Amino acid sequence: MLITRDILNKALEDKMPLFHDGDYIDDDVLYDLFYAQPILKDLPNGKKALRTLIAKSDRNILCAELKERTKSLKKEFEFEKIYYRVKCKSCGKNFSIYITKSQIINRRFKISNHVNISVHHDRYYLFTPAFKELYSIKFGNSYNMYVCESCIDKFISDSMQKAVDFLEKKDKFDWFLSEESLGDWKRELFRIETTYFKLENGVKIEDGKEIRAANGEIWTDEKYNEWKKREEEARNHKKKLEEIRLQQKLDEEAERERTRKANELFLARHQLNTPTQRYINKFCNKDSDIDITDKEIQREALSPEEVNYEAIQKHNSKLYREYLQSPLWKIISSKVKWNANHRCEKCGSTKNLVTHHTSYEFKGVEFLAFHTLQCLCSKCHEKEHDTQIDSVK
């Protein structure tokens, strides 16, 4: 069945399936399906916008009865297709080319897609792009132009003979570097290949160039050798500059590292000599050997001057188990027991007395808040902790 524009418009109006396997379409239908420019259409929000002439939803309806894949006796899977008649631009014969359901729905069909220019055994992939360039010059590169398979084969055969004849010439590399070659399809038969040298830091710099022809030959005449020598000198100079820059960078990084370490050492020495650090070393270290019964030592521990309480609290909280064995905690604990007259504040017992935290807000600096501490016997201490656990539950 030949589908015309009138038949297409009727199917669109009735919202009915149209295409079936083996149908043909004319030029107008091909244009409406694939090449028509977008038009202004009314949107549901009242605005207008550019949309394709035939919406995708309508295309799905048109192709509803066109199966994507069906089993066949000849092939395991075969697409159902519609067809379009084209004329070969070379021989003038008519041919049928197929269009699939997916191409119709997604508007992805071009006649030129059925023209395949590919050279087998193209080792360096230079013949194929050269012949594609020649094809565009000879036939044009229009999306709706078609050349049949036999004419393509003949075109590739004739082009290969031209290319082989040209590549046999001794002056082909001189021609490639001359202005005469500009815009000529035969330039695609050559490629400048660049090799790279990798430095220790991973940076790549050019390590050489070669001009390769499609037949595998590499340029080796005197002019090329002179050009290659100049390129090598420039490359060696560039490599030397890269090495100098790399060494300078390494020296700068080493100098920055030395400066950083010196600054860290200076800060460490300065911090060790601050009143806060001296206080921590003297009273918060479990291995500190001081007489905690000395009144002056006790006064210094409980009333420090010019120290950072936050730093002291951070240090003691981080090393809390060691802190509980430090001179500072022993002095604080002794003070709490003395204030309680060495009696449990719950039951009045004088045995197995310990210091209990009612709050850990001042953990590590309890000398700032003695009201957060209690003198308890071990039994009352256990009961107090059991009560706290029950309250949390």
Side-chain angles (χ1 to χ4, degrees), residues 82-268:
I82 64 173
Y83 295 88
Y84 172 72
R85 290 192 180 277
V86 292
K87 180 182 286 188
C88 175
K89 190 171 182 179
S90 179
C91 65
K93 295 180 181 179
N94 290 322
F95 295 87
S96 296
I97 58 175
Y98 68 84
I99 305 171
T100 66
K101 178 179 180 178
S102 175
Q103 290 174 325
I104 297 172
I105 293 173
N106 298 303
R107 202 169 178 259
R108 291 180 179 173
F109 171 79
K110 290 182 181 179
I111 296 174
S112 56
N113 290 343
H114 285 264
V115 179
N116 181 29
I117 300 174
S118 179
V119 179
H120 298 295
H121 309 298
D122 188 2
R123 180 178 178 183
Y124 302 103
Y125 194 72
L126 288 169
F127 287 113
T128 299
F131 294 169
K132 286 182 178 180
E133 182 70 21
L134 180 59
Y135 175 88
S136 298
I137 295 171
K138 185 174 181 179
F139 297 108
N141 56 2
S142 175
Y143 59 84
N144 61 355
M145 187 270 299
Y146 179 77
V147 178
C148 68
E149 187 175 344
S150 60
C151 290
I152 287 294
D153 291 341
K154 185 177 185 306
F155 164 76
I156 291 177
S157 177
D158 294 343
S159 302
M160 180 61 76
Q161 188 59 51
K162 291 179 183 178
V164 170
D165 292 342
F166 173 77
L167 291 173
E168 289 178 354
K169 294 182 178 180
K170 294 183 178 180
D171 62 344
K172 56 182 174 289
F173 290 106
D174 289 331
W175 174 87
F176 174 73
L177 290 179
S178 67
E179 294 184 0
E180 180 187 351
S181 68
L182 298 177
D184 196 301
W185 69 272
K186 292 189 290 294
R187 278 189 64 85
E188 300 296 328
L189 295 170
F190 300 87
R191 178 170 59 230
I192 299 177
E193 298 177 347
T194 305
T195 57
Y196 293 91
F197 176 80
K198 194 171 183 180
L199 297 176
E200 293 180 0
N201 63 347
V203 175
K204 290 183 179 180
I205 61 174
E206 289 186 14
D207 192 40
K209 290 183 179 179
E210 294 178 338
I211 302 178
R212 184 183 297 277
N215 60 357
E217 292 183 26
I218 297 176
W219 198 12
T220 56
D221 65 5
E222 293 181 2
K223 289 184 179 179
Y224 175 70
N225 290 335
E226 293 175 3
W227 171 78
K228 190 172 183 179
K229 184 178 180 181
R230 291 194 300 271
E231 287 286 310
E232 186 175 358
E233 290 175 354
R235 185 172 65 253
N236 291 337
H237 179 67
K238 186 176 181 180
K239 187 187 297 184
K240 189 173 182 179
L241 288 177
E242 288 288 341
E243 291 174 352
I244 292 173
R245 292 193 188 99
L246 176 61
Q247 189 59 47
Q248 288 176 343
K249 186 177 180 180
L250 292 174
D251 292 342
E252 289 173 0
E253 290 177 354
E255 182 61 29
R256 283 196 294 270
E257 182 65 16
R258 284 195 293 270
T259 303
R260 185 186 65 78
K261 289 183 177 180
N263 290 338
E264 287 181 354
L265 183 60
F266 172 80
L267 290 172

Side-chain angles (χ1 to χ4, degrees), residues 283 293-301:
F283 294 105
T293 61
D294 187 291
K295 298 296 183 183
E296 184 60 28
I297 294 291
Q298 293 178 4
R299 186 202 65 76
E300 186 180 351

